[in-house]
Amino acid sequence: MNEYKILFTGTMGAGKTTAIGTVSETPPIVTDVVNNDQSHTKERTTVGLDFGQFTLDSGDRIRMFGTPGQSRFDFLWKILAKNALGMIILTDNSRPDPLADLRVYLEGFSEDLDTMPCAIGVGRLDSHAAPSLDDYVDELARHERVFPVLAVDVRKREDVILLIDTLLAQLEAGMFGE
Ligand SMILES: Nc1nc2c(ncn2[C@@H]2O[C@H](COP(=O)(O)OP(=O)(O)O)[C@@H](O)[C@H]2O)c(=O)[nH]1
Ligand SMILES: [Mg+2]
């Protein structure tokens, strides 16, 4: 049995806590507290981390960690990224500048992304068509990254599993020399 540690990151409200809760077979551990950040309207936000896990059909176990979104917690990002096999970056397309949001994580996790697969999950694309998936691919290219970009609704189990499968497929293809 293999264990895969996967990191979920992305801006506040992008859906990290929801995504992990959607697929976790154990009650997710959530460290959300009352939000006092005036620039965001969410009532609760993550300051620490989220944790959840589930077992694949193969018997392999996925351990999922959610990072605090705000870059003032970036000292924690480094710790959480250690030994992770892959990273999922979630964005919320209803935000003012989702590509700028993406950049925060591409740059903050730049070293980690040299050695692990990554998939981008774009939320609320159905109601907010711009930027398009192609715009995301172009933004990644500007950072010399080639990652799959998927439209997702993190409230749907199959969407979250597709993101995880996309990471595992990159590992299995030997793209990251595990
Ligand atoms: N209407 C709508 N809501 C969504 C969609 N995706 C995520 N959400 C909601 O957005 C919120 C995301 O919050 P949360 O998971 O706490 O984000 P986090 O800060 O990244 O952990 C949740 O209330 C989700 O139900 C979507 O596609 N449509
Ligand atoms: Mg959260």
Side-chain angles (χ1 to χ4, degrees), residues 12-13 15-18 30 32 42 44-47 50 67:
M12 197 189 292
K16 303 173 294 293
T17 300
T18 304
V30 178
D32 283 3
K42 275 187 62 189
R44 301 180 81 75
T45 188
T46 307
V47 290
D50 300 296
T67 72

Side-chain angles (χ1 to χ4, degrees), residues 6-25:
I6 290 182
L7 216 57
F8 285 74
T9 193
T11 199
M12 197 189 292
K16 303 173 294 293
T17 300
T18 304
I20 291 172
T22 298
V23 297
S24 186
E25 29 180 61

Side-chain angles (χ1 to χ4, degrees), residues 65-121:
F65 290 81
T67 72
Q70 306 93 310
S71 50
R72 64 192 151 96
F73 290 119
D74 64 359
F75 63 94
L76 273 176
W77 295 357
K78 301 275 163 244
I79 297 167
L80 287 169
K82 219 173 245 176
N83 304 323
L85 280 184
M87 186 176 313
I88 290 169
I89 304 177
L90 298 173
T91 67
D92 173 355
N93 232 36
S94 71
R95 298 242 317 146
D97 191 348
L99 295 180
D101 294 340
L102 174 64
R103 279 195 289 279
V104 169
Y105 303 95
L106 290 177
E107 287 164 12
F109 285 107
S110 160
E111 269 179 44
D112 308 292
L113 291 171
D114 286 340
T115 59
M116 67 177 74
C118 177
I120 316 294

